[in-house]
Amino acid sequence: MMFTGIVEETGVISRIDRGEHSAVLNIRAKTVLEGTETGDSIAVNGICLTVTNLGESFCADVMHETLNRSAFAGLSVGSTVNLERAMRADGRFGGHIVSGHVDGTGSITDIRRDDNAVWYTVSAAGEVMRYIVEKGSVTIDGISLTVAKVSNTGFSVSAIPHTVKYTNLCLRKKGDMVNIETDIIGRYVEKLMQPAVQEEKKSTLTKEMLSYYGF
């Protein structure tokens, strides 16, 4: 399954049924429900979820691993979320390759207006920052953005008014936690650059064999 980070609409959490280590979300939406069937995938704040029920809203299960790795724990009834259906084979590729599997979370440390743009600075852990590069791509809550600046502890992006208006960026404030997915290409390159680990070959030499040959 693949997404592009181009948010189609925002939805609203209308209900959350929480289990001991899981949750079921009910999300009111419109555009992303068109042509969608049960079993299809929708990215919710950048996380790929499977539609389990459809009506004027849709339901999706959230597993323990997702809750641990994402900012979903901070969602509540009334929260606004970014929504994108999985990319069609004949669709336009407007953003970058997004898997819908977040790498971790970050915290918004600064929001600053700059003429017609809005700068967002996000702090993140080292295991996330190692894949963040200046002028590279990053996904914040499912939004494909270009990294403008990088430091040891965080990065900044500059969002145009259209992106801010039609996503939940317009509601974000300092201290908010966001989902981060780094560019998957960087992770593949890192993996391919690592030397292959070869399984140690087991010796066929035995005590009986040595004795047979006079040793």
Side-chain angles (χ1 to χ4, degrees), residues 38-124:
T38 301
D40 287 348
S41 297
I42 294 178
V44 179
N45 274 2
I47 298 176
C48 178
L49 298 179
T50 300
V51 175
T52 58
N53 200 2
L54 277 171
E56 293 184 353
S57 59
F58 71 94
C59 293
D61 295 326
V62 182
M63 297 296 96
H64 193 191
E65 172 73 4
T66 303
L67 290 175
N68 286 341
R69 282 183 171 268
S70 73
F72 269 7
L75 291 178
S76 59
V77 173
S79 293
T80 299
V81 291
N82 298 319
L83 303 173
E84 180 192 356
R85 290 168 291 187
M87 181 182 177
R88 290 173 42 163
D90 61 349
R92 291 183 176 178
F93 205 140
H96 70 282
I97 298 173
V98 177
S99 69
H101 304 145
V102 301
D103 296 297
T105 60
S107 175
I108 296 178
T109 58
D110 188 49
I111 301 175
R112 175 174 59 87
R113 291 195 172 273
D114 180 15
D115 197 10
N116 68 337
V118 182
W119 284 76
Y120 295 84
T121 300
V122 180
S123 65

Coordinates of all heavy atoms in Angstrom, one line a residue, residues 38-124:
T38 N -15.1 -1.6 2.5 CA -14.5 -2.2 3.6 C -13.3 -3.0 3.3 O -13.3 -3.8 2.3 CB -15.6 -3.2 4.3 OG1 -16.7 -2.4 4.7 CG2 -15.0 -3.8 5.6
G39 N -12.2 -2.9 4.0 CA -11.0 -3.5 3.7 C -10.0 -2.6 3.0 O -8.8 -3.0 3.0
D40 N -10.4 -1.5 2.5 CA -9.5 -0.5 1.9 C -8.7 0.2 3.0 O -9.0 0.2 4.1 CB -10.3 0.5 1.1 CG -10.8 -0.1 -0.2 OD1 -10.5 -1.2 -0.6 OD2 -11.7 0.6 -0.9
S41 N -7.6 0.9 2.5 CA -6.8 1.6 3.4 C -6.9 3.1 3.3 O -7.0 3.6 2.2 CB -5.3 1.2 3.1 OG -5.1 -0.2 3.4
I42 N -6.9 3.7 4.5 CA -6.9 5.2 4.5 C -5.9 5.6 5.5 O -5.8 5.1 6.6 CB -8.3 5.7 5.0 CG1 -9.4 5.4 3.9 CG2 -8.3 7.2 5.2 CD1 -10.8 5.8 4.3
A43 N -5.1 6.6 5.1 CA -4.0 7.1 6.0 C -4.7 8.2 6.9 O -5.3 9.1 6.4 CB -2.9 7.8 5.2
V44 N -4.6 8.0 8.2 CA -5.2 8.9 9.2 C -4.0 9.5 10.0 O -3.3 8.8 10.7 CB -6.1 8.1 10.2 CG1 -6.7 9.1 11.2 CG2 -7.2 7.4 9.4
N45 N -3.8 10.8 9.8 CA -2.6 11.5 10.3 C -1.4 10.8 10.0 O -0.4 10.6 10.8 CB -2.7 11.7 11.8 CG -3.5 12.9 12.2 OD1 -4.0 13.7 11.4 ND2 -3.6 13.2 13.5
G46 N -1.3 10.2 8.7 CA -0.1 9.6 8.2 C 0.0 8.1 8.6 O 1.0 7.5 8.2
I47 N -1.0 7.5 9.2 CA -0.9 6.1 9.6 C -1.9 5.3 8.8 O -3.1 5.6 8.7 CB -1.2 5.9 11.1 CG1 -0.2 6.7 11.9 CG2 -1.3 4.5 11.5 CD1 -0.4 6.7 13.4
C48 N -1.4 4.3 8.1 CA -2.3 3.5 7.3 C -3.2 2.6 8.2 O -2.7 1.8 8.9 CB -1.4 2.6 6.4 SG -2.3 1.4 5.4
L49 N -4.5 2.8 8.0 CA -5.5 2.0 8.8 C -6.4 1.4 7.8 O -6.7 1.9 6.7 CB -6.3 2.9 9.7 CG -5.5 3.6 10.8 CD1 -6.4 4.5 11.7 CD2 -4.7 2.6 11.7
T50 N -7.0 0.2 8.2 CA -7.9 -0.5 7.4 C -9.3 -0.2 7.8 O -9.7 -0.2 8.9 CB -7.7 -2.0 7.5 OG1 -6.3 -2.3 7.1 CG2 -8.6 -2.8 6.7
V51 N -10.1 0.1 6.8 CA -11.5 0.4 7.0 C -12.3 -0.8 7.4 O -12.3 -1.8 6.6 CB -12.2 1.1 5.7 CG1 -13.7 1.3 6.0 CG2 -11.5 2.4 5.4
T52 N -12.9 -0.8 8.5 CA -13.6 -2.0 9.0 C -15.2 -1.9 8.9 O -15.9 -2.8 8.9 CB -13.3 -2.4 10.4 OG1 -13.6 -1.2 11.3 CG2 -11.8 -2.7 10.6
N53 N -15.6 -0.6 8.8 CA -17.1 -0.4 8.7 C -17.3 1.0 8.0 O -16.5 1.9 8.2 CB -17.7 -0.3 10.1 CG -19.2 -0.6 10.0 OD1 -19.8 -0.7 9.0 ND2 -19.8 -0.5 11.2
L54 N -18.3 1.1 7.2 CA -18.6 2.3 6.4 C -20.0 2.8 6.6 O -20.9 2.0 6.7 CB -18.3 2.0 4.9 CG -16.9 2.1 4.4 CD1 -16.9 1.6 3.0 CD2 -16.4 3.5 4.5
G55 N -20.2 4.1 6.6 CA -21.5 4.7 6.6 C -21.2 6.2 6.2 O -20.6 6.5 5.3
E56 N -21.8 7.1 7.1 CA -21.4 8.5 6.9 C -20.1 8.8 7.6 O -19.6 9.9 7.5 CB -22.5 9.4 7.6 CG -23.9 9.3 6.8 CD -24.9 10.3 7.5 OE1 -24.6 10.8 8.5 OE2 -26.0 10.4 6.9
S57 N -19.6 7.8 8.2 CA -18.2 7.8 8.8 C -17.6 6.4 8.5 O -18.2 5.6 7.9 CB -18.3 8.1 10.3 OG -19.1 7.1 10.9
F58 N -16.4 6.3 9.0 CA -15.7 4.9 8.8 C -15.1 4.6 10.1 O -14.7 5.4 10.9 CB -14.8 4.9 7.7 CG -13.5 5.7 7.8 CD1 -12.3 5.0 8.3 CD2 -13.4 7.0 7.5 CE1 -11.1 5.7 8.5 CE2 -12.2 7.7 7.7 CZ -11.1 7.1 8.2
C59 N -14.9 3.3 10.4 CA -14.3 2.8 11.5 C -12.9 2.1 11.2 O -12.8 1.6 10.1 CB -15.1 1.7 12.3 SG -16.6 2.4 13.0
A60 N -12.0 2.2 12.1 CA -10.7 1.5 11.9 C -10.1 1.1 13.2 O -10.3 1.8 14.2 CB -9.7 2.5 11.2
D61 N -9.5 -0.1 13.2 CA -8.9 -0.6 14.4 C -7.4 0.0 14.5 O -6.7 0.1 13.5 CB -8.8 -2.1 14.4 CG -10.2 -2.8 14.4 OD1 -11.0 -2.2 15.1 OD2 -10.3 -3.8 13.8
V62 N -7.0 0.3 15.7 CA -5.7 0.7 16.0 C -5.0 -0.2 17.0 O -5.5 -0.4 18.1 CB -5.6 2.2 16.6 CG1 -4.2 2.6 16.8 CG2 -6.4 3.1 15.6
M63 N -4.0 -0.9 16.6 CA -3.3 -1.9 17.4 C -2.3 -1.3 18.4 O -2.0 -0.1 18.3 CB -2.6 -2.9 16.5 CG -3.5 -3.7 15.6 SD -4.7 -4.7 16.4 CE -6.2 -3.7 16.5
H64 N -1.9 -2.2 19.3 CA -0.9 -1.8 20.4 C 0.3 -1.1 19.8 O 0.8 -0.1 20.3 CB -0.6 -3.0 21.2 CG 0.1 -2.7 22.5 ND1 0.7 -3.7 23.3 CD2 0.3 -1.5 23.1 CE1 1.2 -3.1 24.3 NE2 1.0 -1.8 24.3
E65 N 0.9 -1.7 18.8 CA 2.2 -1.2 18.2 C 2.0 0.2 17.7 O 2.8 1.1 17.8 CB 2.6 -2.2 17.1 CG 3.8 -1.7 16.3 CD 5.1 -1.7 17.0 OE1 5.1 -2.2 18.2 OE2 6.1 -1.2 16.5
T66 N 0.8 0.4 17.0 CA 0.6 1.8 16.5 C 0.4 2.8 17.6 O 0.9 3.9 17.5 CB -0.7 1.7 15.6 OG1 -0.6 0.7 14.6 CG2 -1.0 3.1 15.0
L67 N -0.3 2.4 18.6 CA -0.5 3.4 19.7 C 0.9 3.7 20.4 O 1.1 4.9 20.8 CB -1.4 2.8 20.8 CG -2.9 2.6 20.4 CD1 -3.7 1.9 21.5 CD2 -3.5 4.0 20.1
N68 N 1.8 2.7 20.5 CA 3.1 3.0 21.1 C 4.0 3.9 20.2 O 4.8 4.6 20.8 CB 3.8 1.6 21.3 CG 3.2 0.9 22.5 OD1 2.5 1.5 23.3 ND2 3.4 -0.4 22.6
R69 N 3.9 3.8 18.9 CA 4.8 4.5 18.0 C 4.3 5.8 17.5 O 5.0 6.5 16.9 CB 5.1 3.6 16.8 CG 6.1 2.5 17.1 CD 6.4 1.7 15.8 NE 7.5 0.8 16.0 CZ 8.8 1.0 15.8 NH1 9.1 2.2 15.3 NH2 9.7 0.1 15.9
S70 N 3.0 6.1 17.8 CA 2.4 7.3 17.2 C 1.8 8.2 18.2 O 1.9 8.0 19.4 CB 1.3 6.8 16.2 OG 0.2 6.4 17.0
A71 N 1.3 9.3 17.7 CA 0.7 10.3 18.6 C -0.8 10.1 18.7 O -1.6 10.9 19.2 CB 0.9 11.7 18.0
F72 N -1.3 8.9 18.3 CA -2.7 8.6 18.4 C -3.2 8.6 19.9 O -4.4 8.8 20.1 CB -3.0 7.2 17.8 CG -3.3 7.2 16.3 CD1 -3.3 8.4 15.6 CD2 -3.7 6.1 15.7 CE1 -3.6 8.5 14.3 CE2 -4.1 6.1 14.3 CZ -4.0 7.3 13.6
A73 N -2.3 8.3 20.8 CA -2.7 8.3 22.2 C -3.3 9.6 22.6 O -4.1 9.7 23.6 CB -1.6 7.9 23.1
G74 N -2.9 10.7 22.0 CA -3.4 12.0 22.3 C -4.7 12.4 21.6 O -5.2 13.5 21.9
L75 N -5.2 11.6 20.8 CA -6.5 11.9 20.1 C -7.7 11.8 21.1 O -7.7 11.0 22.0 CB -6.7 10.9 18.9 CG -5.8 11.1 17.7 CD1 -6.2 10.0 16.7 CD2 -5.9 12.4 17.1
S76 N -8.7 12.6 20.8 CA -9.9 12.6 21.6 C -11.1 12.9 20.7 O -10.9 13.3 19.5 CB -9.8 13.7 22.7 OG -9.7 15.0 22.2
V77 N -12.3 12.7 21.2 CA -13.5 13.0 20.4 C -13.4 14.5 20.0 O -13.3 15.3 20.8 CB -14.7 12.6 21.1 CG1 -16.0 13.1 20.4 CG2 -14.8 11.1 21.4
G78 N -13.6 14.7 18.7 CA -13.6 16.1 18.2 C -12.2 16.5 17.6 O -12.1 17.6 16.9
S79 N -11.2 15.6 17.7 CA -9.9 15.9 17.1 C -10.0 15.9 15.6 O -10.7 15.1 15.0 CB -8.9 14.9 17.5 OG -8.6 15.0 18.9
T80 N -9.3 16.8 14.9 CA -9.3 16.9 13.5 C -8.1 16.1 13.0 O -7.0 16.3 13.5 CB -9.2 18.3 13.0 OG1 -10.4 19.1 13.5 CG2 -9.1 18.4 11.5
V81 N -8.3 15.2 12.0 CA -7.2 14.4 11.5 C -7.1 14.5 10.0 O -8.1 14.8 9.3 CB -7.4 12.9 11.8 CG1 -7.3 12.7 13.3 CG2 -8.8 12.4 11.4
N82 N -5.9 14.4 9.4 CA -5.7 14.4 8.0 C -6.0 13.0 7.4 O -5.6 12.0 8.0 CB -4.2 14.8 7.7 CG -3.9 16.2 8.2 OD1 -4.7 17.1 8.1 ND2 -2.7 16.3 8.8
L83 N -6.6 13.0 6.2 CA -7.1 11.8 5.6 C -6.6 11.7 4.1 O -6.7 12.7 3.4 CB -8.6 11.7 5.6 CG -9.3 11.7 7.0 CD1 -10.8 11.7 6.9 CD2 -8.8 10.5 7.9
E84 N -6.1 10.5 3.7 CA -5.7 10.3 2.4 C -6.0 8.8 2.0 O -5.6 7.9 2.8 CB -4.3 10.6 2.1 CG -3.8 10.4 0.7 CD -2.3 10.4 0.5 OE1 -1.6 10.6 1.4 OE2 -1.9 10.1 -0.7
R85 N -6.7 8.6 0.9 CA -6.9 7.2 0.4 C -5.6 6.7 -0.2 O -4.7 7.5 -0.6 CB -8.0 7.2 -0.6 CG -9.4 7.4 -0.1 CD -10.4 7.6 -1.1 NE -10.2 8.9 -1.8 CZ -11.0 9.4 -2.7 NH1 -12.1 8.7 -3.1 NH2 -10.8 10.5 -3.3
A86 N -5.4 5.4 -0.2 CA -4.2 4.8 -0.9 C -4.2 5.2 -2.3 O -5.2 5.4 -3.0 CB -4.3 3.3 -0.7
M87 N -3.0 5.4 -2.8 CA -2.8 5.9 -4.2 C -3.2 4.9 -5.2 O -2.9 3.7 -5.1 CB -1.3 6.2 -4.4 CG -1.0 6.8 -5.8 SD 0.7 7.1 -6.1 CE 0.7 7.7 -7.8
R88 N -4.0 5.3 -6.2 CA -4.4 4.4 -7.3 C -3.2 4.3 -8.3 O -2.4 5.2 -8.5 CB -5.6 5.0 -8.0 CG -6.9 4.9 -7.2 CD -8.0 5.6 -7.9 NE -8.1 5.4 -9.3 CZ -9.2 5.6 -10.0 NH1 -10.3 6.1 -9.5 NH2 -9.2 5.3 -11.3
A89 N -3.2 3.2 -9.0 CA -2.1 3.0 -10.0 C -2.1 4.0 -11.1 O -1.1 4.4 -11.7 CB -2.2 1.6 -10.6
D90 N -3.3 4.6 -11.4 CA -3.4 5.6 -12.5 C -3.5 7.0 -11.9 O -3.9 7.9 -12.6 CB -4.6 5.3 -13.4 CG -6.0 5.4 -12.6 OD1 -5.9 5.4 -11.3 OD2 -7.0 5.4 -13.2
G91 N -3.1 7.2 -10.6 CA -3.2 8.5 -10.0 C -1.9 9.3 -10.2 O -0.9 8.8 -10.7
R92 N -2.0 10.6 -9.9 CA -0.9 11.5 -10.0 C -0.1 11.4 -8.7 O -0.6 11.3 -7.6 CB -1.3 12.9 -10.2 CG -2.0 13.2 -11.6 CD -2.3 14.7 -11.7 NE -2.9 15.0 -13.0 CZ -3.3 16.2 -13.4 NH1 -3.3 17.2 -12.6 NH2 -3.7 16.3 -14.6
F93 N 1.2 11.4 -8.9 CA 2.2 11.3 -7.8 C 2.6 12.7 -7.4 O 3.6 13.3 -7.8 CB 3.4 10.5 -8.2 CG 4.1 9.8 -7.0 CD1 4.6 8.6 -7.1 CD2 4.2 10.5 -5.8 CE1 5.2 7.9 -6.1 CE2 4.9 9.9 -4.8 CZ 5.3 8.6 -4.9
G94 N 1.7 13.4 -6.5 CA 2.0 14.8 -6.2 C 3.0 15.0 -5.1 O 3.5 16.1 -5.0
G95 N 3.2 14.0 -4.2 CA 4.0 14.2 -3.0 C 5.3 13.4 -3.2 O 6.1 13.6 -4.1
H96 N 5.5 12.5 -2.2 CA 6.6 11.5 -2.3 C 6.1 10.2 -1.8 O 5.0 10.0 -1.4 CB 7.8 12.0 -1.5 CG 7.6 12.0 0.0 ND1 6.9 13.0 0.7 CD2 8.1 11.1 1.0 CE1 6.9 12.7 2.0 NE2 7.6 11.6 2.2
I97 N 6.9 9.1 -1.9 CA 6.5 7.8 -1.4 C 6.3 7.8 0.1 O 7.2 8.0 0.8 CB 7.6 6.8 -1.8 CG1 7.8 6.7 -3.4 CG2 7.2 5.4 -1.3 CD1 8.9 5.8 -3.8
V98 N 5.1 7.5 0.4 CA 4.7 7.4 1.9 C 4.1 6.0 2.1 O 3.1 5.6 1.4 CB 3.7 8.5 2.2 CG1 3.3 8.4 3.7 CG2 4.3 9.9 1.9
S99 N 4.6 5.3 3.1 CA 4.1 4.0 3.4 C 3.0 4.0 4.4 O 2.2 3.0 4.4 CB 5.3 3.1 3.9 OG 5.6 3.6 5.2
G100 N 2.8 5.0 5.2 CA 1.8 5.0 6.2 C 2.2 4.3 7.5 O 1.4 4.0 8.3
H101 N 3.5 4.0 7.6 CA 4.1 3.4 8.8 C 5.0 4.4 9.4 O 6.2 4.6 9.0 CB 4.8 2.1 8.4 CG 4.0 1.1 7.7 ND1 4.5 0.3 6.7 CD2 2.7 0.9 7.8 CE1 3.5 -0.4 6.2 NE2 2.4 -0.1 6.9
V102 N 4.6 5.1 10.5 CA 5.4 6.2 11.0 C 6.6 5.6 11.7 O 6.6 4.5 12.3 CB 4.5 7.0 12.0 CG1 3.3 7.6 11.3 CG2 4.1 6.2 13.2
D103 N 7.6 6.5 11.8 CA 8.9 6.1 12.4 C 8.9 6.5 13.9 O 9.7 6.0 14.7 CB 10.1 6.8 11.7 CG 10.2 6.3 10.3 OD1 10.5 5.1 10.1 OD2 10.0 7.0 9.3
G104 N 8.1 7.5 14.2 CA 8.1 8.0 15.6 C 7.3 9.3 15.7 O 6.5 9.6 14.7
T105 N 7.4 10.0 16.8 CA 6.7 11.2 17.0 C 7.7 12.4 17.2 O 8.8 12.2 17.5 CB 5.7 11.1 18.2 OG1 6.5 10.8 19.3 CG2 4.7 10.0 18.0
G106 N 7.1 13.6 17.0 CA 7.9 14.8 17.3 C 7.0 15.8 18.0 O 5.8 15.6 18.0
S107 N 7.7 16.8 18.5 CA 6.9 17.8 19.2 C 7.2 19.2 18.5 O 8.3 19.5 18.2 CB 7.4 17.9 20.7 OG 6.8 19.0 21.4
I108 N 6.1 19.9 18.3 CA 6.2 21.2 17.7 C 6.8 22.2 18.7 O 6.2 22.4 19.7 CB 4.9 21.7 17.1 CG1 4.4 20.8 16.0 CG2 5.0 23.2 16.6 CD1 3.0 21.2 15.5
T109 N 8.0 22.8 18.4 CA 8.6 23.7 19.3 C 8.5 25.1 18.9 O 8.7 26.0 19.8 CB 10.1 23.3 19.5 OG1 10.7 23.4 18.2 CG2 10.3 21.9 20.0
D110 N 8.1 25.4 17.7 CA 8.0 26.8 17.2 C 7.1 26.9 16.0 O 7.2 26.0 15.1 CB 9.4 27.4 16.9 CG 9.3 28.9 16.7 OD1 8.7 29.6 17.5 OD2 9.8 29.3 15.7
I111 N 6.3 27.9 15.9 CA 5.5 28.2 14.8 C 5.7 29.7 14.4 O 5.4 30.5 15.3 CB 4.0 27.9 15.0 CG1 3.8 26.4 15.4 CG2 3.1 28.3 13.8 CD1 2.3 26.1 15.8
R112 N 6.1 29.9 13.2 CA 6.5 31.3 12.9 C 6.0 31.6 11.5 O 6.2 30.9 10.5 CB 8.0 31.5 13.0 CG 8.5 32.9 12.5 CD 10.0 33.0 12.8 NE 10.7 31.9 12.1 CZ 11.2 32.1 10.8 NH1 10.9 33.2 10.1 NH2 11.9 31.1 10.2
R113 N 5.3 32.8 11.4 CA 4.8 33.2 10.0 C 6.0 34.0 9.3 O 6.7 34.8 9.9 CB 3.6 34.1 10.2 CG 2.4 33.4 10.6 CD 1.1 34.2 10.4 NE -0.1 33.4 10.6 CZ -0.7 32.6 9.7 NH1 -0.2 32.5 8.5 NH2 -1.7 31.9 10.1
D114 N 6.1 33.8 8.0 CA 7.1 34.4 7.2 C 6.5 34.8 5.9 O 6.4 34.0 4.9 CB 8.3 33.4 7.0 CG 9.4 34.1 6.1 OD1 9.4 35.3 6.0 OD2 10.2 33.3 5.6
D115 N 5.9 36.0 5.8 CA 5.2 36.5 4.7 C 4.0 35.6 4.4 O 3.1 35.5 5.2 CB 6.1 36.6 3.5 CG 5.6 37.5 2.3 OD1 4.5 38.2 2.6 OD2 6.1 37.5 1.2
N116 N 4.0 34.9 3.3 CA 2.9 34.0 3.0 C 3.1 32.6 3.4 O 2.3 31.7 3.0 CB 2.5 34.1 1.5 CG 3.6 33.5 0.6 OD1 4.7 33.4 1.0 ND2 3.2 33.1 -0.6
A117 N 4.1 32.3 4.1 CA 4.4 30.9 4.5 C 4.4 30.8 6.1 O 4.4 31.8 6.8 CB 5.8 30.5 4.0
V118 N 4.2 29.6 6.5 CA 4.3 29.3 8.0 C 5.4 28.3 8.2 O 5.4 27.2 7.7 CB 2.9 28.8 8.5 CG1 3.0 28.6 10.0 CG2 1.8 29.8 8.2
W119 N 6.3 28.6 9.1 CA 7.4 27.7 9.5 C 7.0 27.0 10.7 O 6.5 27.5 11.7 CB 8.7 28.5 9.8 CG 9.4 29.0 8.6 CD1 9.0 30.1 7.8 CD2 10.5 28.5 8.0 NE1 9.9 30.3 6.7 CE2 10.8 29.3 6.8 CE3 11.4 27.4 8.3 CZ2 11.9 29.0 6.0 CZ3 12.5 27.2 7.5 CH2 12.7 28.0 6.4
Y120 N 7.2 25.7 10.7 CA 7.0 24.8 11.8 C 8.3 24.1 12.2 O 9.0 23.5 11.3 CB 6.0 23.7 11.5 CG 4.6 24.2 11.2 CD1 4.2 24.7 10.0 CD2 3.6 24.3 12.3 CE1 2.9 25.2 9.7 CE2 2.3 24.8 12.0 CZ 2.0 25.2 10.8 OH 0.8 25.7 10.5
T121 N 8.7 24.2 13.4 CA 9.9 23.6 13.9 C 9.5 22.4 14.8 O 8.7 22.5 15.7 CB 10.8 24.5 14.7 OG1 11.2 25.6 13.8 CG2 12.1 23.8 15.1
V122 N 10.1 21.2 14.5 CA 9.7 20.0 15.2 C 11.0 19.4 15.8 O 12.0 19.2 15.1 CB 9.1 19.0 14.2 CG1 8.6 17.7 15.0 CG2 7.8 19.6 13.5
S123 N 10.9 19.0 17.1 CA 12.0 18.3 17.7 C 11.7 16.8 17.6 O 10.5 16.4 17.7 CB 12.2 18.7 19.2 OG 11.0 18.3 19.9
A124 N 12.7 16.0 17.5 CA 12.5 14.5 17.3 C 13.7 13.8 17.9 O 14.8 14.4 18.0 CB 12.2 14.2 15.9

